[in-house]
């Protein structure tokens, strides 16, 4: 019985608690209530759920934005004749790359 918890489970009242009991109290009928140890499971699970929910919301927003942009481009190209193209041009035109320099 090294720890106070072991003493309380065995029915022994530590001296500091014994001094707080009013005089004339029958010690056999004293019940000592201990606070339960803190559990960190709830806050950890809540943090994981919030993180996963935030990632899911951002993915949905990105997907919806992509669909809206594609539909706007397709509607504009079909109605107004506007098209969207991506062209890649090189910086050097006509000269081959130099070897050995």
């Amino acid at each position: 019985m090294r720890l106070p918890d072991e003493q309380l489970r065995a029915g022994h009242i530590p001296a500091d608690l014994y001094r707080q009991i009013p005089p004339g109290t029958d010690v056999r009928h004293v019940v000592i209530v201990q606070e339960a140890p803190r559990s960190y499971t709830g806050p950890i699970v809540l943090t994981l759920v919030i993180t996963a929910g935030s990632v899911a919301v951002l993915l949905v927003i990105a997907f919806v934005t992509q669909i809206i942009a594609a539909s706007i481009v397709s509607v504009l190209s079909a109605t107004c004749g506007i098209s969207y193209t991506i062209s890649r041009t090189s910086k050097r035109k006509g000269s081959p790359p130099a070897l050995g320099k």
Side-chain angles (χ1 to χ4, degrees):
M1 285 192 287
R2 296 180 184 169
L3 301 173
D5 294 343
E6 294 173 352
Q7 291 177 357
L8 291 174
R9 275 188 249 121
H12 299 287
I13 300 174
D16 59 335
L17 291 177
Y18 189 75
R19 287 188 205 108
Q20 296 176 5
I21 297 174
T25 304
D26 188 9
V27 182
R28 293 175 291 176
H29 297 286
V30 172
V31 176
I32 298 173
V33 179
Q34 287 183 301
E35 185 177 341
R38 181 170 170 93
S39 172
Y40 292 100
T41 305
I44 290 172
V45 170
L46 181 64
T47 303
L48 292 175
V49 166
I50 289 173
T51 304
S54 301
V55 168
V57 166
L58 289 175
L59 286 175
V60 167
I61 289 172
F63 185 67
V64 169
T65 304
Q66 180 183 5
I67 291 173
I68 290 172
S71 64
I72 288 173
V73 167
S74 65
V75 167
L76 287 177
S77 66
T79 57
C80 304
I82 299 173
S83 64
Y84 179 73
T85 59
I86 298 174
S87 62
R88 296 180 61 189
T89 59
S90 64
K91 292 183 180 180
R92 295 184 188 185
K93 292 186 179 181
S95 64
L99 298 175
K101 285 188 179 182

